Amino acid sequence: DVVEKSTGEFSIGAGYSSGGDTEGPTVEGSISERNFLGRGQFIKLSAGGGKRSRDYSFSFTEPYFLGRRIAA
């Protein structure tokens, strides 16, 4: 029998910066999936920032690039 396991992850975080141009509270959140659509692909979306800064990130990894076992 095959038992399915969770392959996704959700995380959140918070902090406080006390120096530089970005002084103040910061927050961050991300969601990722290690087996996207059951094809072994990895996908991650994240966002974060504070009062004066914003950071966004998107990541996608194909484990069999061009039919070979090369991650891209």
Side-chain angles (χ1 to χ4, degrees), residues 11-63:
S11 66
I12 56 173
Y16 187 86
S17 176
S18 61
D21 295 336
T22 60
E23 185 173 349
T26 60
V27 294
E28 181 178 322
S30 70
I31 186 166
S32 64
E33 175 62 49
R34 291 186 307 272
N35 190 18
F36 186 60
L37 300 177
R39 301 171 80 185
Q41 299 162 328
F42 177 83
I43 190 168
K44 181 177 182 179
L45 299 166
S46 63
K51 194 173 189 178
R52 294 188 178 137
S53 67
R54 301 286 185 271
D55 296 309
Y56 304 98
S57 175
F58 173 76
S59 174
F60 178 81
T61 302
E62 170 61 57

Side-chain angles (χ1 to χ4, degrees), residues 1 4-5 10 12-13 15 19 25 29 33 36 40 46 48 56 63-64 66 71:
D1 293 332
E4 294 280 333
K5 289 187 176 182
F10 172 75
I12 56 173
E33 175 62 49
F36 186 60
S46 63
Y56 304 98
Y64 289 93
L66 299 176

